[in-house]
Amino acid sequence: MDFRLTDEQTMLAEAVGALLHDCCSGADLRRLLESGAARDAGRWAQIEAMGLPLMLAPEARGGSGLGMVEMALVAIACGHAALPEPLVEHAGIAVPALVAAGRDVPAGTVAVGHPVNPFVADADTAEALLLADGDAMHLVPRAAVTLVRQDSIDPFRRLFRVDWKPAPATRTGGAALWEAALERGALLAAAQLLGLAQRAVDISVAYTKERQQFGKPIGSFQAVKHHLASAQVKIEFARPVVLAAAALPASSLARARVSHAKLAAQAAADAASHAAVQVHGAMGYSWEVDVHFVLKRALALGQAWGTPGFHRARVAEHMLSAPLGPDRTFDAVPLQQEARSEAA
Amino acid sequence: MDIRYTPEEQAFRVEVRRWMAAHVPAQPLPDFDSTREGFEAHRQWERTLHAGGWGMVTWPVEYGGRGLDLIRWLIFEEEYYRAGAPGRVNQNGIFLLGPTLIEYGTPEQKARFLPAMAAGDHIWAQAWSEPGAGSDLAGVRSTAVRDGDDYVLSGHKIWSSRAVHADWAFGLFRAPGSERHKGLSLILFPLDAAGVTVRPIQRLDGKPVFAELFLDNVRVPVANRLGDEGQGWAVCMSTAGFERGLMLRSPARFQVAAAKLVDLYRARAGAADPALGAAVAQAWMDADAYALSIYATASRLMAGGTIGPETSTNKIFWSELDLDLHKTALALLGAEAELTAAAPDASADVGDWLDGYIFSLAGPIYAGANEIQRNIIAERMLGLPR
Ligand SMILES: Cc1cc2nc3c(=O)[nH]c(=O)nc-3n(C[C@H](O)[C@H](O)[C@H](O)COP(=O)(O)OP(=O)(O)OC[C@H]3O[C@@H](n4cnc5c(N)ncnc54)[C@H](O)[C@@H]3O)c2cc1C
């Protein structure tokens, strides 16, 4: 038992964090908005150069063969940067689904129309889409569908209703692929929410050290401190849940843990982004500071990949059906009853 | 990251489980605060644990421990709480003073105090707080005046848990004329020494769970000072770190309580407000999150890390979790929530939930009030200005 990141994992998280810090600042986001482009081509090229889109694909297929813990770390960094490009959905959800279905990963990104989400994100820039027809998963070229744009409050969320006709030739698999995609989608939404939450606190800490009222930085006032400290506590107790959910092999506990991760990270992102608005005062309510980018993404991801109600129900289902207790934290192989009966 | 238990760790769990199954008293012991009898019954349990080698599993073998790592300590605690073993009457000693002694004690002090503590011969109380110094602990006024090879202690300590029946206490005393964090020394003193008066204080339900201590020229040898003279603040902060950070509240306690809460929900769900299901699930998730976080900390400490701001985040999290958990239980019990265990119509565990709730109210106050912890997080973890 060693519940720590490995050095390689820490290095990956730092490298991706540093890359996004450099090329996805608030100023970069604003520039992208002004340009009207869907993506920042330079940034996407850097992301590709790091091999991130194929990080979960096996090495034999040109990928890096990494696992969900690494993917969660990347997603945390993407959340922290409020990254507009669809790295998480492509690399974390579409690619493993294609690999599992034995399909080639097309050049460019693949958007995911999971039945749990009413709209498909980033469909317009995708090469192809994974779409649901009942239980079946279809891989459909972008050119074969009609997209109807749905404006999101998050200016970087490109959502679409997709009109399409299923055909036998595009079928790639069945329900199992969708189920696995949901677990990854919810987990990676949780990871992004965690990154968003930390970003909200980070932006606020910087601001409240600078902003002066009553002749002092507002960060010296206890009410301001407590808003941010309370948000940080929520973050601290969502992070290990996200990482444990990423590390667990598939099981009833793993499903419950994914839902727990989503709920905890959403609560943290909610608390942190609201606290961020509050401690910025009117500034926090304006377009001028970056807080709203974080707030809006958190609002969107909080409902995507299963609403809080959906995930609470999954937790309740596990809680009411599985054996619980302190020896079950890591889904430990149940020990024989022998211990008790021998002693009796 | 490898979140599987090793075969050795699994074997260890079986070993603890077997021992607990054979030794945990079938009937719960009377509580250790209300009567001397209950206190002594718990001392006897400490002796049983010690005889089995389970008194303090992380201590070095030479002091009565097993020299186990923190993951095994967590496994031990999990099995301890699973088995419903009695509360640790000596927790102030074994979890708080013990690790401080191991870090700062002289070889003589370790030999003198640790084995007696592990064996249950010395049950310890903490004597930090004073009537004028609670959250602002550096404001303590009690003094230690050096007189040859002795210190002469004078002053008034308060809220000392279990001091009503305990044998020894440890606390901060200042050199006369010194101020704030300077001039403080951490001194250990027997509660039956001449000049010590112990006055029980009842908590809000009437149980004498703590006491105030009046110290009137109490003589103790200089050898009872832990750490250097005037360095008491640094030493005591290390104890506070253990207290909030790890040892005081191992996750198993909350995980067992959460599992019981789920049982209660199952048993009462019919009558319950459906919104309570969400509160039950939240309590279960929070207990689980706390466990994961402690495993992460333990893994880091085992790899040579030091304990940091998680002492404050943990303190807030477990105290609020405990409070919410018990509030939810009372809500599930409805009209029965107010019944004490002594009420004729109280079903088996009703009084325990109420008792747990009363205790959980104190969580956000003791071990450093949560407001103070939030200040610490904001200033030391987030770097906000004072
Ligand atoms: C059940 C229980 C057991 C205890 N056991 C022991 C024991 O064994 N040994 C021992 O020495 N002590 C013990 N204590 C005492 C405990 O450590 C103190 O109660 C605690 O440190 C708070 O001090 P206080 O009670 O004097 O409250 P105060 O310090 O007077 O605080 C009162 C309120 O004001 C708030 N406050 C104070 N200062 C600030 C600030 N700067 N910013 C924001 N808010 C502030 C506090 O958070 C609190 O809400 C125990 C207490 C309880 C309830």
Side-chain angles (χ1 to χ4, degrees):
Chain A
M1 161 70 59
D2 185 0
F3 191 14
R4 276 182 313 144
L5 297 177
T6 61
D7 291 346
E8 292 75 19
Q9 288 166 338
T10 306
M11 274 160 53
L12 173 72
E14 283 171 3
V16 177
L19 169 75
L20 297 181
H21 179 82
D22 289 346
C23 68
C24 193
S25 66
D28 293 314
L29 293 180
R30 285 159 202 281
R31 207 173 40 246
L32 182 65
L33 272 186
E34 271 160 36
S35 78
R39 290 184 192 178
D40 182 317
R43 181 162 58 229
W44 189 253
Q46 283 179 272
I47 287 169
E48 283 190 315
M50 264 187 107
L52 298 178
L54 288 179
M55 61 183 282
L56 292 186
E59 287 172 29
R61 308 184 64 169
S64 326
L66 293 171
M68 280 310 279
V69 172
E70 287 81 4
M71 188 66 232
L73 295 171
V74 170
I76 291 170
C78 294
H80 195 268
L83 181 72
E85 288 79 20
L87 173 63
V88 173
E89 289 217 350
H90 174 72
I93 303 160
V95 169
L98 292 168
V99 168
R103 291 298 186 102
D104 288 337
V105 181
T109 56
V110 176
V112 185
H114 198 283
V116 82
N117 296 322
F119 306 114
V120 181
D122 301 290
D124 59 335
T125 54
E127 194 64 26
L129 292 80
L130 288 172
L131 296 170
D133 175 42
D135 278 351
M137 181 184 275
H138 290 257
L139 179 63
V140 188
R142 157 74 187 83
V145 304
T146 309
L147 301 180
V148 181
R149 176 83 188 245
Q150 311 288 329
D151 292 328
S152 163
I153 177 78
D154 179 347
F156 300 108
R157 289 263 293 174
R158 308 178 68 81
L159 298 179
F160 299 87
R161 188 187 80 218
V162 180
D163 295 332
W164 69 295
K165 286 250 177 331
T170 56
R171 195 178 189 286
T172 54
L177 288 181
W178 284 127
E179 280 161 25
L182 172 62
E183 300 308 316
R184 288 196 301 272
L187 172 70
L188 296 174
Q192 292 177 82
L193 285 161
L194 190 62
L196 286 161
Q198 190 64 61
R199 178 70 174 281
V201 171
D202 292 352
I203 296 173
S204 303
V205 166
Y207 182 74
T208 56
K209 280 183 187 169
E210 296 299 321
R211 171 72 175 167
Q212 303 244 338
Q213 288 294 299
F214 303 97
K216 301 198 272 189
I218 58 170
S220 65
F221 297 122
Q222 200 169 55
V224 169
K225 284 181 177 161
H226 287 197
H227 278 307
L228 300 179
S230 298
Q232 191 65 41
V233 171
K234 286 199 185 315
I235 295 170
E236 295 305 320
F237 288 88
R239 188 185 297 120
V241 183
V242 170
L243 293 176
L248 279 178
S251 63
S252 153
L253 177 68
R255 274 165 49 88
R257 212 30 98 45
V258 164
S259 287
H260 177 184
K262 178 92 196 305
L263 290 166
Q266 191 230 350
D270 211 42
S273 56
H274 184 200
V277 171
Q278 182 67 19
V279 304
H280 279 76
M283 208 54 173
Y285 198 69
S286 79
W287 187 261
E288 305 296 316
V289 296
D290 295 343
V291 174
H292 67 100
F293 292 134
V294 173
L295 177 98
K296 291 166 180 170
R297 187 68 51 83
L299 184 153
L301 290 178
Q303 303 299 325
W305 294 102
T307 60
F310 172 89
H311 287 292
R312 224 173 275 119
R314 290 198 345 160
V315 168
E317 188 190 310
H318 173 80
M319 190 180 82
L320 294 172
S321 62
L324 307 178
D327 55 335
R328 296 298 175 140
T329 312
F330 297 94
D331 212 10
V333 187
L335 297 174
Q336 314 308 335
Q337 286 302 313
E338 85 181 291
R340 188 156 282 277
S341 51
E342 248 179 52
Chain B
M1 185 187 302
D2 184 354
I3 59 172
R4 288 165 308 176
Y5 294 107
T6 63
E8 294 74 25
E9 286 164 348
Q10 290 282 33
F12 175 71
R13 184 186 292 284
V14 173
E15 188 190 348
V16 182
R17 193 169 290 188
R18 282 205 185 118
W19 192 88
M20 290 295 159
H23 292 88
V24 169
Q27 290 301 313
L29 303 181
D31 91 81
F32 51 60
D33 285 318
S34 299
T35 59
R36 167 62 71 179
E37 181 206 0
F39 189 86
E40 292 304 329
H42 279 80
R43 188 198 294 277
Q44 204 47 52
W45 167 247
E46 290 293 325
R47 293 199 161 121
T48 306
L49 272 175
H50 180 249
W54 301 107
M56 196 51 220
V57 295
T58 58
W59 286 12
V61 178
E62 53 191 308
Y63 304 125
R66 280 189 188 228
L68 298 182
D69 63 36
L70 287 172
I71 299 291
R72 279 180 176 73
W73 171 68
L74 286 168
I75 295 171
F76 170 77
E77 290 277 300
E78 287 164 3
E79 293 303 319
Y80 192 90
Y81 281 99
R82 262 185 102 254
R88 303 294 300 264
V89 66
N90 209 10
Q91 67 173 21
N92 291 330
I94 54 187
F95 296 146
L96 308 177
L97 180 61
T100 315
L101 267 164
I102 289 169
E103 193 172 333
Y104 291 95
T106 62
E108 297 74 33
Q109 287 175 325
K110 292 182 193 183
R112 180 173 165 213
F113 291 114
L114 291 171
M117 194 186 288
D121 294 338
H122 293 169
I123 310 269
W124 286 81
Q126 306 189 78
W128 306 118
S129 304
E130 296 186 5
S135 298
D136 186 13
L137 189 57
V140 292
R141 302 254 56 96
S142 296
T143 53
V145 179
R146 184 85 180 243
D147 181 21
D149 288 341
D150 287 344
Y151 283 115
V152 180
L153 309 179
S154 303
H156 181 185
K157 299 284 182 178
I158 194 167
W159 313 125
S160 187
S161 295
R162 292 189 274 302
V164 180
H165 304 297
D167 309 298
W168 278 77
F170 55 102
L172 281 178
F173 293 85
R174 68 171 60 257
S178 65
E179 286 298 330
R180 307 292 302 163
H181 307 81
K182 299 200 184 77
L184 293 170
S185 295
L186 178 55
I187 297 176
L188 321 180
F189 57 98
L191 283 166
D192 62 0
V196 178
T197 308
V198 178
R199 194 184 74 84
I201 306 176
Q202 295 174 335
R203 83 176 178 184
L204 51 80
D205 64 355
K207 280 191 193 169
V209 305
F210 34 34
E212 53 187 336
L213 311 174
F214 299 93
L215 303 164
D216 181 15
N217 291 313
V218 178
R219 260 184 189 274
V220 295
V222 168
N224 283 19
R225 190 192 66 227
L226 179 51
D228 291 338
E229 190 166 86
Q231 296 304 306
W233 185 257
V235 183
C236 112
M237 283 301 108
S238 120
T239 305
F242 286 119
E243 175 165 18
R244 287 177 218 137
L246 211 59
M247 294 306 219
L248 182 64
R249 292 290 175 256
S250 70
R253 172 199 185 103
F254 306 111
Q255 291 177 297
V256 167
K260 282 192 184 144
L261 182 68
V262 172
D263 286 343
L264 183 66
Y265 176 73
R266 268 205 208 92
R268 309 264 170 157
D273 170 354
L276 284 172
V280 173
Q282 192 63 49
W284 178 67
M285 287 190 283
D286 287 348
D288 190 56
Y290 183 59
L292 291 170
S293 154
I294 296 292
Y295 266 96
T297 302
S299 297
R300 205 170 47 67
L301 293 177
M302 277 168 61
T306 51
I307 196 144
E310 58 268 51
T311 61
S312 294
T313 56
N314 287 357
K315 164 72 217 299
I316 290 173
F317 197 80
W318 63 248
S319 58
E320 294 185 347
L321 143 68
D322 200 33
L323 192 54
D324 290 344
L325 194 153
H326 283 92
K327 278 185 184 165
T328 305
L330 296 196
L332 282 168
L333 289 171
E336 280 179 73
E338 65 176 304
L339 297 186
T340 69
D345 287 356
S347 43
D349 59 354
V350 164
D352 288 346
W353 284 116
L354 180 60
D355 200 54
Y357 167 68
I358 297 295
F359 185 64
S360 73
L361 282 172
I365 301 171
Y366 65 76
N370 285 9
E371 289 76 13
I372 305 300
Q373 304 312 317
R374 287 192 161 84
N375 292 347
I376 294 174
I377 292 167
E379 288 163 14
R380 302 200 202 138
M381 190 170 180
L382 302 178
L384 290 176
R386 282 178 167 274

